[in-house]
Amino acid sequence: MIPRLTPRTGRTARPSPTGFDRRLIAPMVLGSVLNPVNSSMIAVALVPIGVAFGAPPAETVWLVSALYLATAVGQPVIGRLVDTYGPRPLYLTGTALVGVAGLLGALAPSLGALIAARVLLGFGTSAAYPAAMRLTRAEAERTGQDSPAGVLAALAVAAQTVAVAGPALGGLLIGLGGWRAVFTVNVPLSAACLVLGALRLPRIPPPRGGRRSVDLPGMALFAAVLVALMLFLMGPRVDRWYLPPLAAAAAAAFARRELRTPDPFIDLRVLGGNGPLLATYLRQLLAYTTSYAFMYGYTQWLEQGRGLSAATAGLVLLPLSATALAVSALTGRREAVRAKLLTGSALQIAGSAALLLVGADSPAWLLLGVGALLGVPQGLVGLAAQNALYRQADPARIASAAGLLRTFMYLGALGASAATAAFYPHRADTAGLHGLALFMLAGSALLLATTLPDRSLGRLTPRKA
């Protein structure tokens, strides 16, 4: 059972509303967008940062990879801590770290220091989304009603919108205050989260029978698997041959540990028997590999292959933001998971194919149109995956399940950044962009192939609290 919420402000407890507590939405949404806004803003900052420190794309890509490496590990680990200790303390700690990371990035004297700030930023932004999903399930338990679709839609729409608007926002910030402004903006965002979280987030009492144990060895082994795997994916070379065997050995030790411990970090028996949830994780990986390959690869090509400024490149991606926002707003209150996944994967295929037509002398309408086309699946797939997970996951482990969903998203982002570095070894040229488009086309086709035969997606129904 999920414990009932007991919201408090000041010194006295507030009476709980009979429906979903709308006071929770602002801190939930604002905290949840910290990661996507930081993951997407950096896209237009890679070139000016490279110029400032004399670093090629193969080095500046670590600004992307470092955040996703930290977040891919941090999301499910912190999600498990949220399930155990409640959302409030993890939310406040995480959002405080975001402000610290913003200051470190704004003052960083070297590329290495910037990368360290991005690692801290990754861990800091890992708390809010699992906390929000936990709060949503807890409100369903408190009210005895299924949480409104609008709440889940607000989380997904905000994250999707901010992710695709991030390059435009990053370009604006760079135009106003240079690339360091992309880091500095985290300070006021962190402060707003801390104030809202302290005032509105409830204190959830420990589970009945006391707090559950924390599987620290399982978490450490899980982190070892991801770090070894992702370090290899970020730079697959012959001299890194030892990383895949290391990841496999850590994975075997992790499985052995989780199958034997009474309260595992990830319950592999339950997860292994939940085929629909595993399929949701796979689709998340495929969809976001394509999405982030476009965001990073296309943005860098606009700046280097087409010769646009960072601010102008951000403006070219505005149609991506506009269509994603429109689609999310229009479809957010209807779950329709299978229909959204089928439509999104088909349009990702079309957008990837259209990218093959883009060249250095392409007209502006084509540059804008490709972004507009690929904005539609941006607005559909994230909503579909989140709603599917909410229905498929164990309610008692919803925060860690949600964190793992984000992990697969970041694995996709890491795969995309590795592909970007591979196709742009020295410079983001048109030949590299077309190679990246073929890579995206293959991933989108796999997404469609994993969705078409899955009829269970059409039978998802609201779960009773």
Side-chain angles (χ1 to χ4, degrees):
M1 291 289 290
I2 297 175
R4 294 181 180 274
L5 300 179
T6 56
R8 291 191 228 169
T9 55
R11 299 179 181 175
T12 60
R14 295 181 302 209
S16 298
T18 55
F20 189 95
D21 190 351
R22 301 284 171 176
R23 293 168 295 195
L24 301 177
I25 293 178
M28 285 167 59
V29 169
L30 184 59
S32 295
V33 303
L34 290 175
N35 192 275
V37 75
N38 278 286
S39 68
S40 57
M41 280 195 305
I42 198 70
V44 292
L46 294 177
V47 171
I49 289 173
V51 171
F53 293 112
E59 293 181 11
T60 58
V61 74
W62 275 96
L63 292 167
V64 177
S65 302
L67 182 137
Y68 289 127
L69 184 62
T71 312
V73 173
Q75 285 272 356
V77 168
I78 295 176
R80 184 60 176 151
L81 295 177
V82 168
D83 283 329
T84 302
Y85 295 104
R88 179 185 170 93
L90 275 302
Y91 178 98
L92 294 176
T93 302
T95 51
L97 284 178
V98 171
V100 174
L103 284 174
L104 290 177
L107 301 173
S110 65
L111 182 63
L114 272 185
I115 292 171
R118 292 282 289 179
V119 170
L120 186 60
L121 196 59
F123 283 116
T125 57
S126 292
Y129 180 70
M133 292 294 282
R134 170 72 167 159
L135 285 164
T136 303
R137 277 304 313 174
E139 278 290 271
E141 172 69 14
R142 180 184 65 80
T143 62
Q145 304 171 1
D146 188 56
S147 293
V151 176
L152 291 176
L155 290 174
V157 169
Q160 289 288 329
T161 302
V162 167
V164 295
L169 175 60
L172 176 63
L173 290 172
I174 291 169
L176 292 175
W179 60 263
R180 291 185 186 273
V182 170
F183 290 87
T184 309
V185 73
N186 285 291
V187 177
L189 289 175
S190 169
C193 287
L194 286 171
V195 171
L196 287 170
L199 291 176
R200 299 187 179 186
L201 292 188
R203 302 176 191 273
I204 298 181
R208 294 176 185 175
R211 297 191 191 279
R212 291 167 291 189
S213 61
V214 176
D215 180 19
L216 292 178
M219 292 178 177
L221 288 168
F222 176 80
V225 174
L226 285 184
V227 170
L229 177 62
M230 290 189 289
L231 284 176
F232 181 75
L233 289 175
M234 287 185 285
R237 302 193 306 265
V238 175
D239 61 341
R240 294 185 177 183
W241 63 268
Y242 61 91
L243 288 173
L246 181 60
F254 173 72
R256 181 183 176 89
R257 163 75 189 181
E258 299 306 277
L259 291 172
R260 292 189 173 190
T261 188
D263 194 14
F265 163 48
I266 296 177
D267 195 331
L268 295 181
R269 290 188 183 89
V270 173
L271 185 62
N274 193 341
L277 182 58
L278 291 175
T280 293
Y281 288 144
L282 174 61
R283 283 188 283 265
Q284 181 87 337
L285 172 67
L286 293 171
Y288 280 94
T289 299
T290 298
S291 296
Y292 280 104
F294 176 74
M295 182 175 295
Y296 295 130
Y298 192 54
T299 304
Q300 289 187 67
W301 177 83
L302 287 172
E303 294 181 51
Q304 293 188 326
R306 189 57 185 256
L308 303 180
S309 67
T312 306
L315 291 175
V316 171
L317 290 181
L318 278 179
L320 179 80
S321 310
T323 55
L325 175 59
V327 169
S328 298
L330 290 173
T331 65
R333 291 184 176 274
R334 290 191 61 205
E335 294 194 13
V337 171
R338 188 167 187 269
K340 287 178 179 178
L341 287 171
L342 288 174
T343 304
S345 56
L347 290 176
Q348 273 197 344
I349 290 172
S352 301
L355 201 57
L356 292 169
L357 305 176
V358 171
D361 57 351
S362 295
W365 65 264
L366 180 58
L367 302 182
L368 296 168
V370 170
L373 179 59
L374 284 168
V376 179
Q378 285 269 15
L380 291 174
V381 176
L383 284 168
Q386 181 177 265
N387 281 308
L389 175 127
Y390 186 76
R391 303 302 179 197
Q392 294 164 342
D394 177 5
R397 288 176 173 261
I398 188 67
S400 52
L404 200 55
L405 183 72
R406 283 284 179 97
T407 292
F408 278 92
M409 182 177 82
Y410 301 130
L411 283 171
L414 279 168
S417 64
T420 301
F423 287 109
Y424 299 154
H426 305 292
R427 177 178 178 78
D429 56 18
T430 301
L433 178 67
H434 289 168
L436 195 62
L438 291 173
F439 172 79
M440 293 165 54
L441 194 59
S444 301
L446 286 173
L447 176 60
L448 181 61
T450 60
T451 304
L452 272 173
D454 192 350
R455 299 290 177 180
S456 69
L457 294 170
R459 297 191 294 271
L460 291 177
T461 56
R463 186 193 293 272
K464 293 183 179 180

